[in-house]
Amino acid sequence: MSSPSFLQLALLSVLIVLNVSDCLAEIAERPRIGLVLGGGGARGAAHIGVLAVLREQRIPIDCVAGTSMGGLVSGAFAAGLSPDEMLAAMGKVDWRDMFNDNPPANELNPRRKHLARRFITGSETGVSENGFEALPGAVDGQKIKLFINEMVHGEFGDPVMEKLPIPVSIVSTDLVTGGKVVFRQGSLTKAMRASMSVPAAMSPVKDGNKLLVDGALVANVPIEEAREQCDADVVIAVNVGSPLLKAEQIGGIPSTMAQVINILTEQNVIRSLADLQSADILIKPDLDGIGPSDFNRYRETVGRGRAAAEAILPRLQQLSVDKESYGEWLSKTKPAHSEMPLVVNEIEIAKLHRVNPAYVERHLQKYEGVPLDTKKLSKDLGRVYGDGEYQHVDYALLTGRDKNILRITPLEKEFGPDYLRFGLNLESTIDSSSYNFRAAYHKTWLNSLGGEWLSGAQIGTEPMVFTEFYQPIDRRQRFFIDPKIIYRKGHFNFYQNNSYQSQYEVKEFAFDMMSGVNVGLLGPLSFGWSERRRSAELNSGISIFDIEDDSIGGWVAKVDFDQFDSLYVPTHGWAVKGEYFDSSDENYSKGTLDLRVAQNIGEYVFSGRYNISGSLEGALPPYDAVALGGFLNLSGFAANQILGDSFMYGNMRLEKIIGQLPLGLRGDMRVGLALETGRVDGRYSESELDGWQNSLALYIGGETPVGPVFIGYGYSPEGMSSLYVFFGTP
């Protein structure tokens, strides 16, 4: 093969020079553009509207920097998502549910659900060698992190920032030093989540020795980062920060804390905007009336962002390029991955210090050998988180030459595994009131199978001390034993002809030795021995009964299936609870069956209940009698007014949802109407109330962080009728 001639080499050199000159000319003609997206909570949805206009005007972006919600949108943009894809992702989210880490109650494991009903959710306080430790944030951001994973297509692997087609900087604040932390390398989803951690509202993200929170505290509009990252000639900065509150809007701790954060944010925004140069562009959408928590108004917010960008079209159009050049730029912004999600070859659970890995594995079925379904995975990891042992549960799909590994990373609570738990309740009517406050010390993971010891006391109208040991007997905690000891004081009132006659105080020592099986997430079936020692004496009024001390033991069987979507005030679902006790030596048996169902149609909730209870053999003693009366238990009568040997009860309820609790709190407020009917046979009190008794209740209330709260009125033609106030954990 002959060597190239001098003429050929010369022509080749000329072509290379011309090509390089064209490239340099193109670069010289088009300024490098840095995009900056500021923080502002829900107001940050306006960034999507701005991005849509930049796309329509064919404005290429060379790098992007963002903080908080701006960091979320910046990360999605750098990962190749279009504005339409971002808008679609936001539309698929229940934003109220997003800021409530726990799954619905019907997806909680039975043991966790049992504890959540006895103690105020979120009241747990960690107990360790360092003393007492409170929750690190109102929410852990569990669902937010999984949403981020889905948004940036975690089914293709965890995006790595330095490998993204568009250079990106995401800003956080180190809560330890107060310094600025800028993510440009490593996990994109971790950076996005860290930048959104509003102090106290959301738990910090731990990164080595750093505790990372919202970057808005140090650089809410990070202009400097964009200029540094790609040496931007032009910066397009979008400021969506919240304005300072007015004097009349500041009236409590939450609003004061919000104002402090607003002041810190506004001060660094002023400093950042001072760095803008004459060629730079500032876009400040009109977001008046839209608050940082108004995520449900995202479409309106996106529209306002678009309007703000369209208002300065002449300036933006100066940065526009031709269709061919923009198409070439756009094609380079798409991430390089296959069309189909990657097939999972193996599941790996990160090392756990206390929790048995099998306890996590039981929620993760049918992932190996099929493409990763991130929606299914997010739901299953929500159930893992719902077990109550972790600060968060995350995942990453690790790709290699030979196999793809789905790595699950549950982070155990650093302030556990021992906790203080608290509960309270208050019930009041025109004639009487009761209150109780309970506290318990809860030790978990006493062994590799997850043994628990719970001991505590209750003070108030019904004082009590208790201790119990809950021991699973297999790694997945399907089978268990549950011995417990309880000493309590209670009372029952005696009424006749709607008139109070007397009150008896009952003291009881109880010992239960139960074993059972958790039937998936339905609930437990249990069987065992129950021993009771009771004594009763007249507390006030006239003596009606001559009650002797009693000791009785027998076999007991229970079913407790619950598929309601919330702990106390459901919108849909069903529940079946039943108990049978038999003491053949004492010729005494008792059975109870309680059936409930609820279903909503929009904002209306229809529910029903059928409850039967009574002796199946022998006669119930007065202090263990069944009873009707009280709120939503034949509301036109006083609490437990009608005592007897057996009863049947049913109700139908219609409720209208009239409001939602603030963002981050599961629950709603309702007005309701209940139609009730019931009868008590073998009556010890109200001996003249033969047959069925009807009642009506009107009420307002709902589920709150301290349990259900209701104010109601009950009426019965044959009853006392009463006003009711109730709140707390039953």
Side-chain angles (χ1 to χ4, degrees):
M1 189 174 189
S2 59
S3 301
S5 64
F6 173 78
L7 181 59
Q8 289 174 317
L9 290 173
L11 288 173
L12 180 60
S13 299
V14 170
L15 289 173
I16 292 174
V17 169
L18 290 174
N19 187 54
V20 171
S21 298
D22 288 342
C23 292
L24 292 174
E26 182 181 345
I27 293 173
E29 291 172 4
R30 184 180 80 79
R32 290 181 295 276
I33 301 172
L35 179 64
V36 177
L37 305 180
R43 295 160 63 96
H47 295 314
I48 299 175
V50 173
L51 288 174
V53 173
L54 297 181
R55 191 181 182 101
E56 292 165 3
Q57 298 303 314
R58 303 190 304 275
I59 299 174
I61 302 299
D62 295 284
C63 65
V64 60
T67 295
S68 196
M69 189 65 176
L72 178 77
V73 178
S74 294
F77 178 71
L81 271 72
S82 69
D84 287 343
E85 288 172 320
M86 296 182 205
L87 187 59
M90 293 194 72
K92 295 176 183 176
V93 174
D94 179 347
W95 285 99
R96 294 197 57 80
D97 184 63
M98 178 70 68
F99 289 90
N100 191 313
D101 293 316
N102 283 319
N106 58 339
E107 294 184 16
L108 290 174
N109 77 60
R111 177 65 180 174
R112 174 73 188 281
K113 193 182 303 183
H114 170 71
L115 291 172
R117 284 201 171 101
R118 291 176 66 184
F119 302 100
I120 297 172
T121 302
S123 70
E124 65 182 18
T125 300
V127 181
S128 69
E129 58 185 16
N130 297 322
F132 300 109
E133 297 183 52
L135 296 172
V139 297
D140 286 329
Q142 170 67 22
K143 290 180 181 176
I144 291 173
K145 180 57 169 68
L146 295 181
F147 165 70
I148 292 171
N149 291 357
E150 284 189 45
M151 188 179 193
V152 298
H153 299 295
E155 65 270 28
F156 298 109
D158 188 18
V160 179
M161 297 181 76
E162 61 266 32
K163 295 182 180 180
L164 295 175
I166 299 177
V168 59
S169 302
I170 297 179
V171 179
S172 290
T173 304
D174 184 358
L175 195 58
V176 177
T177 66
K180 179 168 65 175
V181 177
V182 182
F183 283 95
R184 288 178 178 151
Q185 296 180 331
S187 169
L188 173 65
T189 58
K190 180 179 181 179
M192 293 164 72
R193 164 65 181 84
S195 188
M196 295 183 67
S197 299
V198 179
M202 195 179 300
S203 297
V205 171
K206 192 169 184 178
D207 184 35
N209 295 323
K210 301 183 182 73
L211 290 176
L212 303 178
V213 295
D214 199 324
L217 298 176
V218 290
N220 198 44
V221 185
I223 294 170
E224 180 184 4
E225 313 312 325
R227 210 179 296 279
E228 285 183 1
Q229 178 141 29
C230 61
D231 194 20
D233 300 306
V234 176
V235 168
I236 301 175
V238 187
N239 182 14
V240 295
S242 299
L244 296 178
L245 299 176
K246 297 178 181 178
E248 58 271 20
Q249 296 175 300
I250 305 173
I253 294 176
S255 59
T256 301
M257 290 182 63
Q259 183 75 332
V260 170
I261 293 175
N262 287 345
I263 291 171
L264 293 173
T265 300
E266 186 64 20
Q267 288 175 345
N268 70 63
V269 167
I270 292 173
R271 290 194 298 270
S272 293
L273 296 183
D275 290 336
L276 290 175
Q277 301 172 4
S278 58
D280 297 332
I281 298 173
L282 174 63
I283 301 175
K284 188 173 176 56
D286 178 8
L287 300 174
D288 185 43
I290 298 178
S293 62
D294 290 331
F295 287 92
N296 60 323
R297 297 174 64 182
Y298 70 93
R299 288 192 179 275
E300 177 189 353
T301 309
V302 170
R304 295 202 196 183
R306 169 182 280 277
E310 289 175 342
I312 57 168
L313 273 183
R315 289 203 64 190
L316 292 175
Q317 287 171 342
Q318 295 175 12
L319 303 174
S320 179
V321 298
D322 59 77
K323 290 184 179 180
E324 183 178 352
S325 299
Y326 189 76
E328 182 179 348
W329 173 85
L330 193 62
S331 65
K332 294 178 181 178
T333 65
K334 295 296 180 182
H337 54 61
S338 60
E339 293 295 326
M340 292 295 294
L342 300 176
V343 172
V344 176
N345 303 115
E346 181 181 325
I347 296 179
E348 175 184 286
I349 296 176
K351 183 179 179 181
L352 294 164
H353 300 286
R354 298 185 299 267
V355 178
N356 195 313
Y359 192 55
V360 178
E361 291 169 358
R362 78 192 200 283
H363 292 297
L364 303 173
Q365 304 297 319
K366 300 180 180 178
Y367 283 97
E368 293 178 328
V370 296
L372 180 59
D373 183 344
T374 54
K375 288 184 172 56
K376 177 179 182 297
L377 181 60
S378 292
K379 185 172 183 178
D380 287 346
L381 293 186
R383 290 173 174 173
V384 175
Y385 177 86
D387 287 336
E389 309 293 345
Y390 319 100
Q391 280 185 242
H392 65 74
V393 185
D394 204 357
Y395 72 90
L397 187 58
L398 308 178
T399 60
R401 292 183 179 180
D402 301 325
K403 58 185 177 182
N404 301 316
I405 299 175
L406 177 59
R407 191 166 196 267
I408 309 299
T409 53
L411 177 64
E412 294 162 294
K413 290 179 178 177
E414 294 186 350
F415 57 95
D418 299 343
Y419 309 98
L420 291 178
R421 300 187 184 277
F422 304 95
L424 61 88
N425 63 65
L426 170 68
E427 187 170 3
S428 181
T429 66
I430 294 176
D431 300 319
S432 64
S433 62
S434 65
Y435 71 94
N436 293 290
F437 173 79
R438 73 182 67 96
Y441 181 61
H442 188 199
K443 291 183 70 68
T444 68
W445 290 98
L446 298 173
N447 49 54
S448 63
L449 297 180
E452 301 178 15
W453 176 53
L454 180 71
S455 291
Q458 177 171 288
I459 59 174
T461 308
E462 299 175 348
M464 172 175 55
V465 291
F466 57 89
T467 186
E468 65 177 277
F469 180 67
Y470 182 84
Q471 178 60 64
I473 54 179
D474 69 304
R475 296 190 309 156
R476 297 194 173 197
Q477 300 196 2
R478 291 167 295 187
F479 302 95
F480 62 88
I481 58 173
D482 186 17
K484 63 184 67 173
I485 298 173
I486 303 172
Y487 176 77
R488 58 189 159 209
K489 291 182 180 180
H491 64 267
F492 68 90
N493 296 332
F494 182 84
Y495 292 85
Q496 186 63 35
N497 299 324
N498 291 325
S499 175
Y500 169 83
Q501 302 293 313
S502 59
Q503 182 184 84
Y504 287 82
E505 182 182 72
V506 179
K507 299 177 182 179
E508 180 183 71
F509 174 84
F511 169 72
D512 290 342
M513 182 64 195
M514 303 296 294
S515 62
V517 56
N518 289 311
V519 184
L521 296 175
L522 290 178
L525 289 169
S526 55
F527 177 79
W529 181 266
S530 182
E531 189 82 25
R532 298 286 187 272
R533 295 182 182 179
R534 300 188 182 102
S535 63
E537 59 183 23
L538 183 66
N539 198 24
S540 63
I542 59 176
S543 178
I544 306 295
F545 304 104
D546 185 15
I547 302 176
E548 298 180 355
D549 293 354
D550 186 28
S551 178
I552 190 169
W555 297 103
V556 62
K558 297 181 182 181
V559 58
D560 188 1
F561 289 173
D562 186 340
Q563 285 295 283
F564 281 132
D565 62 329
S566 66
L567 294 172
Y568 305 105
V569 188
T571 300
H572 58 82
W574 56 269
V576 176
K577 299 180 186 296
E579 181 175 341
Y580 174 74
F581 172 82
D582 179 77
S583 178
S584 56
D585 292 342
E586 299 291 336
N587 192 32
Y588 166 44
S589 65
K590 181 179 181 181
T592 299
L593 180 64
D594 192 357
L595 309 176
R596 305 184 189 215
V597 65
Q599 183 58 55
N600 71 301
I601 301 177
E603 59 190 10
Y604 291 93
V605 181
F606 301 87
S607 61
R609 180 186 182 192
Y610 177 67
N611 188 14
I612 57 175
S613 183
S615 64
L616 301 174
E617 182 180 1
L620 302 181
Y623 51 76
D624 196 28
V626 297
L628 287 181
F631 183 56
L632 297 180
N633 190 45
L634 219 56
S635 304
F637 295 85
N640 300 326
Q641 179 177 341
I642 314 174
L643 300 172
D645 192 61
S646 65
F647 75 66
M648 288 186 288
Y649 168 82
N651 72 32
M652 296 180 63
R653 295 161 59 183
L654 171 63
E655 299 171 337
K656 184 179 187 298
I657 299 172
I658 58 174
Q660 301 286 342
L661 295 189
L663 199 67
L665 301 177
R666 189 189 299 276
D668 54 49
M669 300 303 292
R670 309 174 180 193
V671 292
L673 166 68
L675 302 177
E676 306 170 88
T677 188
R679 64 177 292 166
V680 179
D681 294 320
R683 291 182 301 282
Y684 298 124
S685 65
E686 298 293 1
S687 57
E688 297 182 9
L689 287 178
D690 295 328
W692 293 91
Q693 306 300 316
N694 299 317
S695 185
L696 176 146
L698 297 171
Y699 54 90
I700 182 171
E703 189 162 328
T704 74
V706 296
V709 173
F710 285 104
I711 300 174
Y713 171 73
Y715 168 77
S716 175
E718 304 295 334
M720 300 173 65
S721 300
S722 187
L723 290 172
Y724 294 93
V725 176
F726 177 87
F727 79 87
T729 52

